[in-house]
Amino acid sequence: MRYLNLSILALAMCWAVCGCARVPRDWLQITYTGATPTAQVAVDWANIVRVSRSTPTLQVVVNPPLRRGSPIHKQVFKELHDLGAQEVRYVPWFPYLKLVVAELQPPTATNTSWDFSLIDPMTLDFLNATKGHSPILNFSTMPAWLFKTPQPVTYPSDPNAVYWDYTQGTELNDPTLKQLGDYYARLVSWYHLGGFTDELGARHDSGYHYDIPWWEVLNEMDSEHQTTPQQYLERYDAIVSAIHRVSPDTRFVGLALAFADKLDNYEYFLDPKHHQPGVPLDMISYHFYALPGDGTNAINPGAWHFCEQADHFLDTVRKVEAIRQRLSPATMTDIDELGVIANDDNTWKGGPIYWNAAAAMYAYLYLELGKLGIEYIGESQLVGYPTQYPSVSMVNWETGKPNARFRVLELLKNNFKPGDKIVATSVNSTNVAAQAYETRSGLQITFGE
């Protein structure tokens, strides 16, 4: 009987071990012994419950540690390149305005403020690190001057400074949304068509000709600009239509919801009759973070309740899937932010037990979301650091070295792919999770306690 351990991670939370093993075809039952009493895992290799559609992946959020010249820049981008994940999500997000918004001041009769000098280096490093792997770009922050505000929105002069009060205003200045669409068309043209012509007719050349396979339209708009489902759909249609004119082959991801359980968003967005003719509904996305209470760094991780929160989220996914199947069954799903945010995140310091527990939660969600047919399962985020969600990081923000969260993603990515057969698996313990797969490289079981 041949038994090959591919990876084992020590864990003290809901599961003591997270790993996978390659097994012979005639192995119908295994005995697993971890921190809890012995459990029996039974596999019916003849019963294929689903062919997997799931790809494990991650998101990269723009922040100063990823800039060239930072102590971890080279290490982190090397890890990203070597991982070779598909459909990695890239999000220039608003806390660092000069790193994410390409036109920070409104155009006047005499000049424009287009400036990619601080945006390009990190974006090019990402595009080169993910070349050939269909990345998903999401320049999620709209220039504040597009919105009606009592006074102009300011921002720090230091590109590394965090500023959380940029997304002001609820209504756009241009009710036709042409101004919004034109901003994103020019931004895409900069990276895809070698440059663009600005509002005053001046040409800006970049020389870049990157493919843009995927574009996600805005981010967590249910928590930014007080956006209604109707407003988001109108902005989605305007941005998609504008980008399609300059990049016809780009596909699009919509919603990117922070609060996955707000089902009215899916009901409205996924109904094709609400969209302009020809606007595609390629894929939707939404997010989940476990939110442990006080004492996240306590010795007793059983108080964190990661597992219970993950199970509640899975109930939400089932409801969303029912809506999607009813209204737009050809639309795919990318759950592109999965992680844990510590209650005391701003002053938080991690430890191995926390990283292992958060990693195991992601592995558990990969197993369960795979059974539900979710196409992309994205871990959040490559680099977090003090002032910007350190408890969500997949690497050490001082050294750039991967932690257990990165290694579990690597384990899943290297061993499981769409097309694998998910085999009927049962466990006689509520403390152990296991799932058998028939893969291209043989029969495997992934398990955890």
Side-chain angles (χ1 to χ4, degrees), residues 62-365:
V62 163
N63 52 38
L66 288 169
R67 297 184 69 189
R68 293 177 186 176
S70 88
I72 68 169
H73 169 270
K74 291 183 179 179
Q75 175 72 32
V76 169
F77 278 102
K78 180 181 185 301
E79 296 291 351
L80 179 64
H81 173 271
D82 292 349
L83 178 65
Q86 293 287 338
E87 275 78 16
V88 178
R89 180 183 190 237
Y90 180 69
V91 190
W93 189 49
F94 73 85
Y96 315 96
L97 281 311
K98 290 192 172 183
L99 304 180
V100 304
V101 178
E103 192 179 21
L104 281 165
Q105 297 297 323
T108 69
T110 57
N111 61 68
T112 65
S113 63
W114 288 97
D115 184 359
F116 289 86
S117 61
L118 298 178
I119 299 172
D120 276 356
M122 197 184 313
T123 302
L124 300 185
D125 290 341
F126 172 83
L127 291 171
N128 291 330
T130 59
K131 186 175 181 179
H133 297 289
S134 297
I136 299 173
L137 301 189
N138 182 350
F139 280 74
S140 61
T141 303
M142 296 174 280
W145 54 264
L146 290 172
F147 286 84
K148 296 178 182 179
T149 56
Q151 53 192 7
V153 178
T154 60
Y155 52 88
S157 58
D158 180 359
N160 294 335
V162 174
Y163 183 65
W164 294 103
D165 196 30
Y166 186 73
T167 56
Q168 300 178 34
T170 60
E171 295 183 25
L172 292 167
N173 284 309
D174 173 18
T176 71
L177 282 75
K178 182 180 184 301
Q179 203 172 43
L180 173 67
D182 287 350
Y183 172 79
Y184 279 101
R186 291 186 173 105
L187 199 159
V188 170
S189 295
W190 178 258
Y191 291 108
H192 181 58
L193 296 179
F196 61 86
T197 300
D198 71 16
E199 296 91 334
L200 302 182
R203 178 69 184 175
H204 299 256
D205 291 312
S206 67
Y208 308 141
H209 294 277
Y210 288 93
D211 290 335
I212 310 293
W214 287 100
W215 190 276
E216 187 176 42
V217 179
L218 310 177
N219 179 62
E220 297 190 345
M221 297 310 295
D222 49 339
S223 64
E224 294 182 16
H225 296 289
Q226 301 178 35
T227 309
T228 68
Q230 294 79 7
Q231 286 175 323
Y232 177 77
L233 186 143
E234 292 170 355
R235 294 167 192 176
Y236 173 91
D237 282 8
I239 292 170
V240 167
S241 299
I243 292 176
H244 252 171
R245 288 194 287 271
V246 299
S247 184
D249 294 330
T250 295
R251 293 186 290 171
F252 296 90
V253 187
L255 291 180
L257 295 174
F259 303 104
D261 59 350
K262 304 301 182 184
L263 301 181
D264 59 327
N265 287 286
Y266 311 99
E267 289 280 0
Y268 192 80
F269 182 81
L270 285 169
D271 192 336
K273 73 177 183 230
H274 293 145
H275 291 269
Q276 297 176 14
V279 172
L281 294 175
D282 297 312
M283 188 150 63
I284 58 169
S285 60
Y286 50 96
H287 308 155
F288 165 71
Y289 290 93
L291 301 170
D294 293 337
T296 300
N297 298 309
I299 295 174
N300 177 20
W304 298 347
H305 303 298
F306 293 2
C307 304
E308 293 90 336
Q309 292 183 57
D311 284 335
H312 289 311
F313 172 67
L314 289 167
D315 288 338
T316 295
V317 175
R318 294 181 185 97
K319 295 175 184 177
V320 174
E321 281 296 283
I323 296 170
R324 185 190 62 80
Q325 288 285 358
R326 172 166 48 85
L327 292 174
S328 187
T331 300
M332 297 186 291
T333 299
D334 182 3
I335 303 179
D336 51 19
E337 290 190 31
L338 291 169
V340 179
I341 300 177
N343 186 52
D344 52 350
D345 188 76
N346 286 332
T347 59
W348 182 88
K349 293 184 179 180
I353 194 171
Y354 174 87
W355 299 122
N356 292 349
M361 188 196 75
Y362 174 74
Y364 173 65
L365 284 170

